[in-house]
Structures are given as structure tokens and as C-alpha cells.
Amino acid sequence: MTQPYDVIIIGGGVVGCMIARTLSAYQLRLLLIEKEADIGMGASSANSAIVHAGYDPVPGSLKAKMNVAANPMWDNLAGELNFPFDRRGDYVVAVTADELQGLELLLEQGRKNGVPGMHLISAEEMRHREPNINPNVTGALWAPTGGLCDTFAVTVAAAENAVQNGCQVLLETAFESFLMEGSQIIGVHTNRGDFRARWVVNAAGLNADFVMHQAGVRPEFKITPRRGEYCVLDQAEISIHNVLFPVPSCGSKGILVTATLHGNTIIGPNAELLDREDHATTRAGLEEVTQGALKLVPSINLRHVIATFAGLRARGNARCETPGVNYDSDFIIEIPKEVRGLVNLGGIDSPGLTAAPAIARRVVELMEDAGEKFIQKRDYEPIRPPRPRFRHLSRAEQTALIQNDPRYARVVCRCELVTEGEIIAEIHAPIPARTYDAIKRRTWTGTGRCLGSFDMPRVVDILAREMGVSPLEITKKGSGSEFLYRTTKEVEAHHGA
Amino acid sequence: MALKEKYDVIIIGAGPGGLAAAISAKQNGAEDILIIERDLELGGILLQCIHNGFGVEIFKQDLPGPSYAQRFINEALSLGVDTLLDTMVLDISPDRRVFATNKTRGVIDVQARAIVLAMGCRERTRAQVRLPGTRPAGVYTAGTAQRWVNVEGYMPGKRYVILGSGDIGMIMARRLTFEGAKVERVLEVMPYLTGLMRNYVQCLLDFDIPLQLSHTVHRILGDKRVEAIESVQVDERWNPIKGTEEVIPCDTLLLSVGLIPENELSRKAGVIIDPLTGGPYVDDGFQTNVPGVFAAGNVVHVYDLVDWVTEAGFAAGKSAAKFALTLRARENRLIPLRADENVRYVVPHELNKDSLQEGNVRLQMRVKTPIEKPVWVEVRSGNLLVTRRAEPYARPGEMVTINLTPKEYDEVDRASELRIAIVPR
Ligand SMILES: Cc1cc2nc3c(=O)[nH]c(=O)nc-3n(C[C@H](O)[C@H](O)[C@H](O)COP(=O)(O)OP(=O)(O)OC[C@H]3O[C@@H](n4cnc5c(N)ncnc54)[C@H](O)[C@@H]3O)c2cc1C
Ligand SMILES: Cc1cc2nc3c(=O)[nH]c(=O)nc-3n(C[C@H](O)[C@H](O)[C@H](O)COP(=O)(O)OP(=O)(O)OC[C@H]3O[C@@H](n4cnc5c(N)ncnc54)[C@H](O)[C@@H]3O)c2cc1C
């Protein structure tokens, strides 16, 4: 067995990675384990990518507190970690006279939560600010502190910065049970052996209930996956610059039409409770998403859909602990009394992405309260250096980059303009991208109009070459998802001869 | 090969369309011709089409794709056409500058007198036919699978379902069967075959591969790798008919659901696209709305036979050559008018020598600094004085002019540039 860690984090989503990054500033031996072949394959890579202003959660809930505390942290975070972030503001748009009342309620709620700068704008002003908006718009709520990020880039950047500062990351390593001495947790048992630690953080997203149950904590807590489906629209055909929410109906923020930092417009998500994990998109779901989006932007044309995807929200059933607040799917962020050595999170659905940096801060505070001494590392490096993105460079910069490394001159993904140099850099990055989807999420290879039919054989080749394995071993998203099955007869005959 | 600064015709894409354009441009008098191709070899999509069925119209011979291409590659190279391989064109400007990158040359920036767009087409994907379900490995376009099997020598799976009765799908069904794989079924959403009848007979019937018309894929099953697809029958309006769902176990779904002309570059150059064809609007010489920018082959509309692509390439190459030669002729007659001693600028900036055969050309200029005594306004070609005119003084506030007249034609005709100066008498 390896030497003991101070803290083991279960789950490499945005929450686990942000916690790892925050803890890596201190003199702690850290390990993050993730069951999948890459970090961020759960909810953290399939969401709306919105840094919420904070008018939506129920006042007094932990969700509201974390959201509003986290929102102002994002500018600094984006600066240090070098991921794309744009505080563009967002709109809730009313399209009937009745809905105007909904705007007033949200404004009131936002003020209670402490969201700055919100105000109502007229229908005319809204039409002016977003010319594609439904002409029947009756008014809108403007929240200037809303923002957009590249959600996957955030997760990778946080994890890489943690690795830079000494955190270890093990992929394809699944938590199975706790190692306990009496009521003291002393480590975790995984499919890849046992790892000891003084603290274990439960950041397992959809499996957070399973993890806490293994420690005997909150046996009544249950996560119900709540699926949200999306369509991605071709940026050559339509481009909405704003973040547009409908007036929410019961319990869901509704189907939105939003810009992404990548330039594509996305529409979605719907909200459907499932009895098991199912990431499939459905005809009915995509239909619902379309109808919802047309309410806000009638000119959306389904012919321009280039991709669809679904994300699962980890909907919990934890009651809000603030007295007098009647809300029963709040975040759990706690150090439970039943066991020692567990930092327990659960039910981190929306606005979990937004809240992640505040959740990480909160974890440190809770551990301090429990007696942990945090000593800052002397050589802590908060800056995670960016890697070049060919498509964002000027011609002069492109030329300089190529002169330095000619692999940046070979374009592998024609739609999104991704070069071989960028892909190779990701394969050898601090968190190595070793699957096709890992490359895709980091570089946007294969996310354009042709959905990878051009680049796929090329990326498989590059991965095989850089990893020194046969293309037959290259996977889309980890073992069991190999692209290729065998060589052709001709090739076999040739090798036999 | 040293790149020239300026080419008569630059062709983007080295498929049959581009190769034919290069050959015919050369045969029609264009001198400097460059083909830019992003792949490692010339030939385009034909290189992965190792089946027969090419050249029946032009050569009256049934050739495999690579052999068909090779004939045109040989001809183009023997005519001295320049080629840049492994080079991606990133941008074309409306004034016909072409920007590209490759590993050995970095960022390339060349000027063309005429451009032929010959980028071919790309395949439609699962999103465009709106296929819901999971996103496992094992869903490929037929062309991607074709590249893997025919060019790289890998089999993407064991048991296949093919969606779409397009030619590529049917041809792949046969190819995979040859390789010992099982093709369970071909599904076609339309009530009729969308590819060629001869491919249906030779690729499906002969191998007992069932084709189901008015059927489509309802969902894809499997998390990491395709495990099955659910098929469904559809009505005339393509709505699934309840109760006709069927789960077909397979590990690979190939999509052969159509091709779309590849015009991202064309749009950047300001070329207007016909929403019906997906390609540029062209005139009978295959010129687009942007003067000097031509288009040929699948980039214009999707062809079923390569022979017609070649024919279109010949026509486009000929028009491109004509355009380039007209420009070149004008360029040769055009000389710069340069501001020399004490002249700030001269308008016009260039002179077409032939204008002097038709009458006077008036040059207008501003002086740099005042000369308060008599001056000469001189036009020189090298040391030779072409003409001059006397003025009592020269002041920046007052425009100075001088006429070139038909009398000076002979001197001007020999000049490579003219210099205009204002000097004290
Ligand atoms: C449709 C949708 C839209 C959303 N929109 C927004 C939005 O716009 N703004 C916003 O702020 N939030 C949004 N959210 C919420 C946000 O995405 C999530 O709250 C956030 O991503 C949760 O991060 P996480 O790290 O807790 O979970 P995850 O990203 O799911 O990460 C959990 C990780 O734990 C791993 N894991 C699980 N079990 C084990 C185990 N046994 N061993 C090891 N590893 C394990 C998983 O593989 C996974 O990688 C949205 C969510 C969805 C689904
Ligand atoms: C799979 C398949 C099977 C077919 N089978 C038959 C058949 O049996 N019989 C028949 O007659 N016809 C067949 N056809 C049709 C015929 O092959 C095509 O119509 C023909 O090849 C199209 O030629 P093209 O020159 O327009 O395009 P392509 O051959 O596609 O050539 C386009 C070239 O442009 C290059 N390019 C694109 N963008 C750029 C860029 N930005 N920079 C640099 N280079 C670029 C591409 O790499 C490519 O090499 C088939 C087509 C396909 C796809």
C-alpha cells in the first residue's frame, strides 16, 4: 500500500476538482480518484455552463448562500486558472402578460438572496438588446452579474492546477467502500486497491448517496437523476449573443436559449426524473426542448441542429436546515457527527457549477472548525498556464507558433480549426487526455458540423502514436469503448507473410 | 518547390474536380497553376473508393477510384502543375488571396488571379437526421468507416446496421461482408432506394443483405459501445409507427444519409450559397458571384458519377484560365506612376499603356514643399525624359497637373514605371 494521504477526494467533477485545487494551496498530501477514464465526464461536462447570478434558489437555502457567495469569485478564478469566462449578464424573458408577475417575484427573491444590480426592462428594450427575441415579449428581468464559462475547461483547469501543486489524480479508480477503525475513517477501498487517508471528501455527484451510505451517514438520503436534454445549433446558421431564460415554472429554470463561449447557441434543458442513470437523448425530450426554445426565439430552425446531448442533475432530498425555510432538495455540505474523517457533500445539482468555488472554501472552513490546521505551501502556484488555441490567434501569432513547433500547422479538425499540436499537448498535459472524448472536450475537436467524421480516424492515429499503442486500443471514453475491432484481412495477410 | 508570389490559377482540393480544373487551365493557356490539398496525396475521395464503377462515361472503362484518379494525377503533374500537399486552406479573401498552413512552410499567403473551389463534400451526420439515444463508440459515417477499412486497414466492428441506402452505404455493406463481417440490415427512411440500382443489385441482393424501405433508426442503445439499435417503420410523413419497433443487436451503426457540399471557405470569400444545392450559385462557366472565383465538382452540388465531376472541372478550369489571362494581359499593360522629387502623390496610381492610344491621360499631383520660382513638371522613365511642362511656381495648396499624350505612347510602351518630379527650372 502507498503512503497515507491527508485527504482523498472521491469524484473528479467540477466540485471535486475545485476542492482539490483549493486544498492544494496547503501542506497536505492529496489524492483525487475518479471512476471514469477522464475527469469531468458527469454533470460537469453536460450543463448550461452558466455562472448564475443567484436570484433563482430559495432564499435561506444553502444553494442560495453558495451561489451568491461564489458568483463574485469567478473573475479572479478565471484569471488564475486561464479558462474562458464572460460576465455577460442574463435575462429572464416574459412573453405573456401573466408572466410579468413571475419577473417581479424573481426580482424580489434575488434581492432577498443579495444579488446586486438586477432590474426590470421593458419589452422594447429587450427587443433592442436581442433582436431575435419573440416579438410578443412583454418584459424582462436583467441580471448583470450572470456569466458564461466553458464548463469542462473550468474542471480541467482546476484539476491541473491541483496537480501542479502536488495533488495526485487516479483515473478509472472507483470508490467501493470505506476503511474504518471504529467510527474513524482511515481510507477507501477501490477497484484498484486501498488508499489510506485522514480525511475523505465525498464529491461523487450522482453516487454521493451511495458513498455516504457506505459510511452509515444519512440512510434516508437519495439522489434521483434528473435528465436535461440539449440541442446545439450550427454557429454558421444562427448566433444568439445572450443568455435567455423563460419565466420559471414549478421547480425548474425552464428551457433556455443561450450563447456559449464557443459561439454555438444551445437550447435546453428539459427536466425529467429518472429511476436510473440514462444519458440517452429521446425524441420526446428533444421535441420538448425545441418547443420551449421557440417560445423565446421563434426563428430557431431545427435544420441547424448539429448535436444533441443530455446531462443528469444529482437531485437530492435533503431538507434545508435554515429554520423556517421550506425546501427539500438543498445541497448537503457537512462534516457529519456519526463518523470522523468524512467531508460529506450531496445533492449538488444546479447551481453546483457556479457554487463550486464557494463549496470548496466551505469545505476548508468546516475542516478548520473540526480542528484541521491549514498551513499554506510556500511554493503554492495559483496560476495555471494556458495552452495555445490556434483558432484564437492572430496570423502573426499563428506563424510564430508554427515556427516554434510545426505540428501546429497541421489542421486535424477542419470545422473547429484544431491542430495536431494542440491535440498532442493535451495528450501530454498534467491530466493527460487519453481518449477521443477527452481530446474533444479539451480542444473542441469533432464538435462542429461534421461531428468528427473527418477528424476521428486522424485523432485515433495521433493518440495511438503518442501513447505508443495500436489504434485498436484507442477508446472513445475508456475501456469497452474501443473504436476499432481488428485489422483487415489484407493487412493481416501482409503481416503474416 | 519554391512557391511563386502570384499564380494564374489556384485550385483548392485535389479530387477529380480539382485535377480536371488544373489540367484544363493549363491547356487553356494559364501558366502558373497551384493545387492545394489537405490530404497527404492527390486524388480526393477517390483514393478510398477502391471499388469499380468509375470512368464508364469518359473512358468507356470500369475502373476502381484510385486508378481513375491516377490518370488525371499523372496528366496534371506532367503538365507542370505545382502542388502543396498536407496543406489546409484556412481562408480566401474576396480579392483572391489564399491563406493556408502546412508543417514545412508554416502560414502560406499566396495571390491568385483566379481560384477554383474544388473542396468536394462532407457526409451528413447523426445530428442532421436527428438520431436520439446514447453516444457510444461505434456510430460512424460510412465514409469514415470506408477510410478506416480501405486506407488504414482496420475493421471498425463485427455486426453492422447501415442507415441510408446511399451508394457509399451499399458499397460498404459489400466491402464489410467481403471482410467477414455481418451486415444485419440496411434501413432507408424513404419509400424508395436513394442510391444507384446497380449498387443495390451488386452490393445487397447478391449478398443477401436485407433492405427495409420506410424504416429508420429509432434509438441507439449501449453506453460505451453500440450494443443494438432499435428500428422503426415510418409513415409518409416520416413519423414512427407505434408497435413496429424492433431491437437489432449490432456493434456498429453506419450512416449513409447524404452528402453536403463543403462551402465554409467559399462563404469566407463572400460566395453566395444556393440553399437548395448547398453549393455556390454559378454561371455557365462555373464562376461564382465573386469575380475570379470558380467552383467545380461536389462543392457545387452532389454528383453521382465522377465522370460529370471531371467534366465540370474541365469547364471551370477553362473559365478560370480565361479570367486569369485577361487579368495578366491587363497587368502587363499596367505600370505604376510614382511620386519622385518634391511630389507627395500622383493620381492615378497606375497607367494602362493602351489608354494613350485613345487620347490624353491627365496626371494630378500635390507638391511637398513650395518652390517660389519657375519649375519643370517632369515625367521620366528611368533617365529618359518622357515629357515635361513649365510652371511659374509650385505650391502645396494648388494642385499640379500634366497630360500624357498619344505622342508619348512609344516611350511609355517601353517603360516599366514612370516617375514624376517637380524641379526648379
Ligand atoms: C442539465 C444540467 C444543467 C445544468 N446547468 C447548470 C448551470 O447552468 N449552472 C450551474 O451552476 N450548474 C448547472 N448544473 C449543475 C452542475 O452541472 C452540477 O451541479 C455540477 O456539475 C456538479 O458537479 P459535481 O462535481 O458534484 O458532479 P459531477 O460532475 O457529476 O462529478 C461527480 C464525479 O464523481 C465520479 N464518481 C461517482 N462515483 C464515483 C465512485 N464511486 N468512485 C470514484 N468516482 C466517482 C463521477 O464519475 C463524476 O465524474 C446543471 C446540471 C445539469 C445536469
Ligand atoms: C464514398 C463514395 C463513393 C463513390 N462511388 C462512386 C462510384 O462508384 N462511381 C462514381 O462515378 N462516383 C462515385 N462517387 C462520386 C465521386 O467520387 C465524387 O463525386 C467525386 O470524387 C467528387 O470529386 P470532387 O473533386 O468534387 O471532390 P473530392 O474527391 O471530395 O475532393 C475534394 C478534395 O478537396 C480537399 N479539400 C477540402 N477542403 C480543403 C481545404 N480547406 N484545404 C485543402 N484541401 C481541401 C479534400 O481533402 C479532397 O481531397 C463516390 C463518392 C463517394 C464519397
Side-chain angles (χ1 to χ4, degrees):
Chain A
M1 193 153 78
T2 46
Q3 63 157 326
Y5 293 92
D6 292 308
V7 186
I8 292 176
I9 298 150
I10 305 171
V14 68
V15 172
C17 293
M18 208 56 88
I19 292 172
R21 191 254 175 174
T22 304
L23 293 179
S24 74
Y26 305 101
Q27 295 183 14
L28 295 169
R29 283 184 308 276
L30 302 178
L31 171 67
L32 182 146
I33 60 171
E34 167 54 56
K35 71 174 161 66
E36 302 293 339
D38 190 14
I39 56 168
M41 284 172 69
S44 302
S45 61
N47 57 50
S48 310
I50 294 168
V51 173
H52 289 293
Y55 51 81
D56 199 65
V58 173
S61 65
L62 201 46
K63 280 187 181 171
K65 286 179 198 158
M66 289 295 120
N67 186 336
V68 175
N71 179 289
M73 299 168 78
W74 277 79
D75 306 85
N76 204 7
L77 201 61
E80 289 183 346
L81 295 181
N82 278 299
F83 59 76
F85 170 66
D86 183 358
R87 201 176 278 287
R88 197 171 280 193
D90 64 52
Y91 298 91
V92 183
V93 182
V95 292
T96 64
D98 290 351
E99 284 185 350
L100 284 173
Q101 214 191 338
L103 297 184
E104 301 274 358
L105 289 175
L106 275 183
L107 177 61
E108 180 57 28
Q109 185 161 297
R111 287 189 176 145
K112 276 193 193 146
N113 287 347
V115 179
M118 295 172 69
H119 60 89
L120 296 173
I121 62 172
S122 69
E124 196 188 340
E125 176 67 16
M126 188 66 230
R127 279 191 288 264
H128 175 70
R129 295 203 198 176
E130 177 51 71
N132 295 297
I133 201 75
N134 184 342
N136 299 327
V137 53
T138 50
L141 175 64
W142 162 238
T145 54
L148 278 176
C149 67
D150 173 341
T151 166
F152 186 74
V154 174
T155 308
V156 171
E160 275 191 6
N161 188 233
V163 170
Q164 264 175 277
N165 288 299
C167 176
Q168 267 186 281
V169 174
L170 286 180
L171 300 174
E172 294 183 301
T173 306
F175 164 90
E176 287 172 355
S177 59
F178 285 103
L179 308 176
M180 315 266 301
E181 259 170 21
S183 66
Q184 172 73 50
I185 288 175
I186 57 159
V188 294
H189 174 69
T190 76
N191 60 333
R192 298 233 258 158
D194 293 349
F195 301 93
R196 286 172 154 278
R198 296 188 296 116
W199 287 98
V200 177
V201 181
N202 174 10
L206 285 173
N207 287 340
D209 51 356
F210 164 77
V211 172
M212 66 180 85
H213 296 165
Q214 292 302 302
V217 171
R218 289 191 185 244
E220 76 299 340
F221 179 72
K222 181 173 170 10
I223 285 174
T224 312
R226 199 150 155 263
R227 179 167 58 193
E229 297 174 53
Y230 293 89
C231 298
V232 184
L233 307 178
D234 190 342
Q235 55 182 320
E237 301 291 349
I238 182 163
S239 170
I240 303 283
H241 185 71
N242 291 304
V243 180
L244 308 168
F245 287 97
V247 175
S249 54
C250 39
S252 158
K253 283 187 271 292
I255 291 160
L256 60 143
V257 175
T258 175
T260 61
L261 288 188
H262 190 54
N264 296 101
T265 299
I266 60 174
I267 60 176
N270 59 346
E272 185 189 356
L273 289 172
L274 302 179
D275 50 14
R276 65 200 164 84
E277 283 188 35
D278 182 357
H279 284 92
T281 52
T282 65
R283 271 172 208 274
L286 297 175
E287 180 61 22
E288 186 187 347
V289 164
T290 315
Q291 290 311 323
L294 288 172
K295 238 182 81 180
L296 291 177
V297 179
S299 58
I300 283 174
N301 186 335
L302 283 193
R303 291 223 333 247
H304 303 149
V305 172
I306 53 168
T308 63
F309 65 93
L312 300 180
R313 308 168 181 92
R315 177 121 189 123
N317 61 348
R319 273 201 69 77
C320 172
E321 287 175 0
T322 311
V325 178
N326 184 20
Y327 180 58
D328 60 9
S329 49
D330 208 354
F331 288 167
I332 298 171
I333 310 170
E334 66 180 7
I335 293 186
K337 295 187 189 63
E338 299 92 313
V339 290
R340 278 177 299 146
L342 177 66
V343 180
N344 190 36
L345 313 184
I348 312 293
D349 58 355
S350 193
L353 165 65
T354 310
I359 294 175
R361 270 279 122 224
R362 182 87 192 114
V363 165
V364 172
E365 287 161 16
L366 288 172
M367 288 170 70
E368 261 177 342
D369 291 349
E372 182 70 26
K373 297 271 175 290
F374 285 94
I375 305 162
Q376 178 106 29
K377 275 182 193 147
R378 246 168 291 130
D379 54 353
Y380 171 59
E381 173 55 88
I383 307 293
R384 174 259 186 187
R387 288 188 282 278
R389 289 285 169 253
F390 191 78
R391 63 174 169 279
H392 294 150
L393 302 179
S394 69
R395 247 186 249 302
E397 290 167 327
Q398 289 175 340
T399 309
L401 185 64
I402 292 170
Q403 263 161 12
N404 200 25
D405 183 347
R407 295 174 301 184
Y408 283 93
R410 178 179 280 152
V411 176
V412 174
C413 168
R414 58 182 173 184
C415 305
E416 301 303 320
L417 200 58
V418 182
T419 63
E420 185 172 352
E422 287 161 85
I423 291 171
I424 292 172
E426 295 302 335
I427 297 174
H428 302 296
I431 309 262
R434 294 293 163 95
T435 66
Y436 178 83
D437 281 358
I439 300 275
K440 172 172 163 179
R441 282 189 294 267
R442 286 163 176 80
T443 62
W444 293 86
T445 298
T447 61
R449 269 150 251 141
C450 88
L451 279 191
S453 47
F454 177 75
D455 67 75
M456 207 182 272
R458 291 164 173 84
V459 173
V460 169
D461 267 358
I462 297 170
L463 274 165
R465 190 186 68 213
E466 293 296 315
M467 290 161 61
V469 300
S470 150
L472 294 173
E473 291 176 43
I474 301 304
T475 69
K476 184 165 189 293
K477 45 177 157 177
S479 150
S481 65
E482 285 74 16
F483 281 96
L484 302 169
Y485 161 62
R486 62 167 171 83
T487 49
T488 53
K489 287 178 179 168
E490 213 171 312
V491 172
E492 270 162 27
H494 184 76
H495 279 278
Chain B
M1 177 194 83
L3 270 188
K4 302 186 174 75
E5 234 168 79
K6 199 167 192 176
Y7 280 88
D8 285 331
V9 182
I10 294 181
I11 293 146
I12 301 167
L19 289 168
I23 292 164
S24 107
K26 192 81 184 188
Q27 288 168 342
N28 284 283
E31 281 167 34
D32 303 325
I33 298 173
L34 174 67
I35 304 185
I36 307 182
E37 167 57 51
R38 67 181 171 204
D39 229 314
L40 296 168
E41 285 170 73
L42 302 172
I45 200 75
L46 292 182
L47 296 180
Q48 65 180 57
C49 300
I50 60 173
H51 54 279
N52 281 34
F54 299 84
V56 183
E57 299 289 331
I58 288 194
F59 298 120
K60 307 291 174 223
Q61 227 180 327
D62 192 0
L63 300 170
S67 317
Y68 182 91
Q70 198 58 47
R71 298 192 175 195
F72 294 98
I73 295 172
N74 292 346
E75 187 169 0
L77 293 180
S78 70
L79 287 171
V81 168
D82 282 352
T83 61
L84 272 181
L85 296 175
D86 202 8
T87 306
M88 180 74 104
V89 176
L90 301 181
D91 224 336
I92 306 169
S93 69
D95 60 353
R96 300 183 302 280
R97 290 187 88 85
V98 177
F99 299 95
T101 65
N102 89 7
K103 269 191 172 177
T104 48
R105 293 171 197 266
V107 176
I108 296 157
D109 173 357
V110 272
Q111 176 72 50
R113 295 189 175 88
I115 288 176
V116 180
L117 306 170
M119 289 91 72
C121 57
R122 63 190 150 87
E123 296 175 279
R124 301 216 308 155
T125 66
R126 72 177 276 190
Q128 282 131 355
V129 291
R130 255 172 283 140
L131 261 188
T134 47
R135 298 203 284 175
V139 183
Y140 311 122
T141 61
T144 300
Q146 190 177 47
R147 182 183 166 105
W148 260 324
V149 178
N150 292 348
V151 181
E152 310 205 357
Y154 290 104
M155 290 291 286
K158 281 185 269 197
R159 291 176 80 179
Y160 296 76
V161 169
I162 298 178
L163 177 61
S165 61
D167 292 314
I168 318 176
M170 294 197 285
I171 287 164
M172 279 310 287
R174 175 177 63 182
R175 178 78 178 99
L176 294 166
T177 309
F178 279 150
E179 277 289 339
K182 177 94 178 92
V183 179
E184 299 288 343
R185 211 165 300 180
V186 177
L187 305 171
E188 170 56 59
V189 74
M190 306 303 269
Y192 50 82
L193 189 74
T194 61
L196 297 170
M197 185 50 85
R198 74 159 195 239
N199 282 332
Y200 171 61
V201 175
Q202 294 169 8
C203 302
L204 301 189
L205 265 193
D206 288 357
F207 294 87
D208 290 327
I209 298 169
L211 166 70
Q212 275 183 312
L213 300 175
S214 297
H215 274 70
T216 189
V217 174
H218 196 44
R219 350 188 237 143
I220 298 170
L221 304 171
D223 179 31
K224 297 228 150 164
R225 174 84 199 198
V226 174
E227 286 162 16
I229 61 102
E230 191 179 273
S231 71
V232 72
Q233 195 179 340
V234 296
D235 64 19
E236 319 76 66
R237 276 179 288 121
W238 301 347
N239 292 316
I241 301 172
K242 272 224 163 58
T244 62
E245 296 88 356
E246 182 188 354
V247 172
I248 310 173
C250 59
D251 58 23
T252 310
L253 172 65
L254 293 191
L255 303 174
S256 178
V257 289
L259 301 167
I260 311 172
E262 172 129 354
N263 279 292
E264 280 69 29
L265 270 182
S266 322
R267 286 179 212 244
K268 288 189 189 170
V271 169
I272 300 174
I273 305 296
D274 175 357
L276 280 181
T277 57
Y281 287 100
V282 288
D283 68 14
D284 56 337
F286 288 99
Q287 185 164 215
T288 68
N289 63 298
V290 180
V293 177
F294 301 79
N298 276 349
V299 78
V300 177
H301 65 150
V302 176
Y303 287 83
D304 46 0
L305 284 186
V306 71
D307 308 63
W308 308 135
V309 171
T310 299
E311 188 185 82
F314 281 138
K318 182 174 176 186
S319 320
K322 213 162 121 192
F323 188 95
L325 291 178
T326 313
L327 260 194
R328 203 190 244 271
R330 255 196 69 209
E331 282 165 19
N332 287 340
R333 304 304 294 157
L334 228 44
I335 50 169
L337 299 171
R338 300 207 193 277
D340 207 339
E341 200 179 324
N342 206 27
V343 178
R344 199 146 68 85
Y345 67 75
V346 185
V347 169
H349 302 80
E350 285 181 300
L351 170 73
N352 185 339
K353 295 171 179 174
D354 296 333
S355 306
L356 283 187
Q357 290 188 313
E358 288 156 30
N360 291 355
V361 173
R362 168 164 300 167
L363 312 186
Q364 304 165 331
M365 69 208 76
R366 293 272 176 197
V367 292
K368 276 188 186 149
T369 48
I371 305 178
E372 295 296 341
K373 52 184 182 184
V375 295
W376 288 120
V377 182
E378 295 183 345
V379 178
R380 290 177 180 272
S381 160
N383 288 330
L384 182 81
L385 184 64
V386 178
T387 180
R388 68 177 178 185
R389 196 163 83 79
E391 287 279 0
Y393 57 81
R395 292 173 190 153
E398 295 172 34
M399 193 167 79
V400 180
T401 63
I402 184 169
N403 282 346
L404 288 171
T405 68
K407 273 194 308 197
E408 283 101 40
Y409 177 80
D410 286 340
E411 276 97 53
V412 170
D413 191 34
R414 283 189 295 269
S416 58
E417 65 172 15
L418 296 179
R419 302 194 153 271
I420 297 92
I422 298 180
V423 292
R425 264 191 262 164

